[in-house]
Amino acid sequence: MDTGEFWRLVEDARKQAADPTDGEAVAARATEVLAARPVEEILAAQQVFWDLMAQSYRAPLWAAAYLINGGCSDDGFDYFRGWLILQGREVFEQAVADPDALAELPVVREAAEDWMEMECEDALGIAWDAYRTATGEEPPQDSFTIRYPDLDPSWGFDFDDEEERSRRLPRLSALYAD
């Protein structure tokens, strides 16, 4: 499975979920669909997923997640990026390129009204759960690698600094203004 096939898997799962913005529902469908594929594809999907997680491991996106979720730990950033991947390729690529563009997403705008968090821990286990469903076993320990880049030090400011956050993420800051 390559990146294009992985994105098709996500899109198929989104189409089959009752609510394509519900990360847990999309993750469950993606797990079911992936479990029906050959074991090699399941393991390859695991690597593609973590490559996308590494691609999105960016300080500007972390600042956006911090603002959207009212704080964001290391694990919380993983869950946010899992949710982001399950929103589909176009949303993912736009958010990685311009995290402030998340302010234009209807699901984020709706969540801002109720201060709902955007995260999906279940996304991190899609391939793991699919492998267990398909084989009855745990995936091999060395079945994937995670290579996170260093974070951009120019974004090393305190994400609670409203003035700096507003300068760097103006649309999200306006959306999440108190």
Side-chain angles (χ1 to χ4, degrees):
M1 174 172 290
D2 64 16
T3 304
E5 291 171 296
F6 180 84
W7 284 121
R8 283 188 290 284
L9 169 74
V10 169
E11 286 308 315
D12 289 347
R14 288 176 54 76
K15 289 176 184 172
Q16 295 173 26
D19 178 0
T21 65
D22 178 355
E24 285 78 16
V26 175
R29 271 311 294 144
T31 299
E32 289 175 32
V33 171
L34 189 57
R37 297 205 177 168
V39 171
E40 298 79 27
E41 284 189 40
I42 297 171
L43 293 174
Q46 178 85 316
Q47 186 60 59
V48 170
F49 177 84
W50 286 104
D51 289 347
L52 292 171
M53 290 288 284
Q55 181 183 340
S56 61
Y57 188 78
R58 304 286 184 257
L61 190 59
W62 201 330
Y66 188 92
L67 181 56
I68 290 169
N69 288 340
C72 191
S73 67
D74 293 356
D75 289 348
F77 189 42
D78 285 346
Y79 306 154
F80 174 81
R81 289 177 295 136
W83 169 84
L84 184 60
I85 289 168
L86 295 181
Q87 299 311 297
R89 184 178 201 161
E90 184 178 329
V91 169
F92 175 84
E93 290 176 351
Q94 177 64 34
V96 170
D98 177 15
D100 202 35
L102 288 164
E104 306 307 319
L105 282 181
V107 66
V108 172
R109 297 182 77 73
E110 291 172 22
E113 292 176 15
D114 298 325
W115 287 93
M116 292 177 45
E117 293 185 359
M118 303 279 85
E119 60 182 26
C120 183
E121 182 178 1
D122 293 352
L124 281 63
I126 290 171
W128 185 274
D129 293 340
Y131 188 92
R132 285 187 11 207
T133 298
T135 67
E137 300 174 5
E138 301 292 318
Q141 291 292 327
D142 62 350
S143 62
F144 68 96
T145 58
I146 303 171
R147 296 176 213 90
Y148 284 155
D150 292 333
L151 290 172
D152 181 351
S154 72
W155 277 77
F157 69 96
D158 178 359
F159 293 160
D160 285 321
D161 180 340
E162 290 182 35
E163 184 176 313
E164 186 65 20
R165 196 178 59 219
S166 292
R167 187 177 72 74
R168 293 176 186 243
L169 299 167
R171 293 176 286 176
L172 280 172
S173 294
L175 184 61
Y176 283 90
D178 292 333

